[in-house]
Amino acid sequence: MAIATSVPRGPVTAKLNFSTPPPAGVVAFNYTSTPPPGEPQRNIDTVPQDATITDIRGHESEYTLDRDAFQIISGVAPSKEEVSGSDFRDDASITANYYPEVEKLLLEQIPGANRVFIFDHTIRRADADAPRKAVQFAHIDQTPFSSEKRVRRHMGDEADELLKGRYRIVNVWRTLNKNPVETMPLAFASSASVEPKDIIPVEHRYPDGYVGETAAIAYNPTQKWHYLSGMTGDERLLLECFDSEGVKEGSGVAGGRVPHSAFEDPRSRPDAEGRESIEVRTLVFGP
């Protein structure tokens, strides 16, 4: 029996959770798993704020990685994961089937890209007991510090040479729902509208001792937030977390870092199907 859908469309005012920086001299941090005894999970507070979020459906081609740090790709063929019936339920199958598709997509869609390294992925499910759910606070997955660290961690002896050229971290996001997304869509802010003072570096502390860095986002009314209504399985959202050209004056790249967050659309039906997704995180090199 088909599931009825009623996709919210058009601009919407919804609450996004922004962050406030810790006191001067205090390092902001977040533990990815259970924190040590006596430590909080994270030491920065979130503050809900109404934001106007523009629907870019019908205007997808107007947004680019170099200006906005996000890009929509439409008409993508079904993944082998879907055709084979594995359906994104097994990590080894995802690595074997979906990773090569993501690599090919990025090499075709990012001008000058000549090498892609995929370092991980995350599945988000709507089940009450799902280990990973949609993240509802504005953030950027990487910072300049952690991006260079990622290159050195994954590329070994080649890192020094690769860091001399252009390198980026790009997430490839897609829905796993069979129907268009109705609930908990992903909002993303144009990089060109984000000021440096809006970005709060946060130590990202892993159980194995590795310390990366993400960024929380402080509210600024000049930020321009967007979403793509009713995303479907043949669409991909590229989220550029870092671009080495974005930190260079006069490069033509407007920052190269995209804040993003899931949000509760107040127009969604109470019984709408929960949103499910996969994001694949990649290093992209060149030109």
Side-chain angles (χ1 to χ4, degrees), residues 17 111 172 186 203 219:
N17 291 311
V172 180
L186 193 67
E203 282 193 356
Y219 174 69

Side-chain angles (χ1 to χ4, degrees), residues 145-193:
F145 167 80
S146 61
S147 297
E148 178 179 341
K149 195 170 182 178
R150 278 284 177 189
V151 174
R152 294 194 181 282
R153 183 183 191 190
H154 298 297
M155 306 312 294
D157 293 341
E158 298 178 89
D160 283 339
E161 192 63 30
L162 290 168
L163 288 168
K164 293 177 183 177
R166 188 175 188 176
Y167 62 99
R168 321 181 207 197
I169 293 186
V170 179
N171 293 358
V172 180
W173 192 99
R174 63 157 288 177
T175 177
L176 297 180
N177 296 76
K178 304 302 182 187
N179 297 291
V181 170
E182 290 189 66
T183 64
M184 207 63 73
L186 193 67
F188 31 91
S190 170
S191 180
S193 72

Side-chain angles (χ1 to χ4, degrees), residues 8-60:
R9 304 280 189 187
V12 61
T13 298
K15 289 196 181 298
L16 295 178
N17 291 311
F18 295 92
S19 298
T20 55
V26 176
V27 175
F29 65 80
N30 172 69
Y31 286 97
T32 64
S33 60
T34 304
E39 290 265 27
Q41 193 76 44
R42 59 201 314 259
N43 69 340
I44 51 175
D45 296 325
T46 55
V47 179
Q49 175 73 46
D50 285 338
T52 299
I53 308 173
T54 301
D55 185 1
I56 66 171
R57 177 67 65 187
H59 300 274
E60 295 91 330

Side-chain angles (χ1 to χ4, degrees), residues 3 14 19 28-29 33-34 67 85 93 104 110 113 135 151 156 159 169-170 183 194 212-213 250 260 278 282 284-285:
I3 299 174
S19 298
F29 65 80
S33 60
T34 304
R67 186 187 65 228
S93 181
K104 181 174 184 290
I110 298 180
V135 175
V151 174
I169 293 186
V170 179
T183 64
V194 178
E213 193 174 69
H260 52 284
I278 179 172
T282 76
V284 180
F285 299 99

Side-chain angles (χ1 to χ4, degrees), residues 107-127:
L107 290 173
E108 291 174 347
Q109 295 293 331
I110 298 180
N114 53 43
R115 186 172 180 180
V116 172
F117 179 87
I118 297 173
F119 57 88
D120 69 16
H121 70 270
T122 297
I123 301 280
R124 303 190 191 277
R125 301 287 184 186
D127 303 337

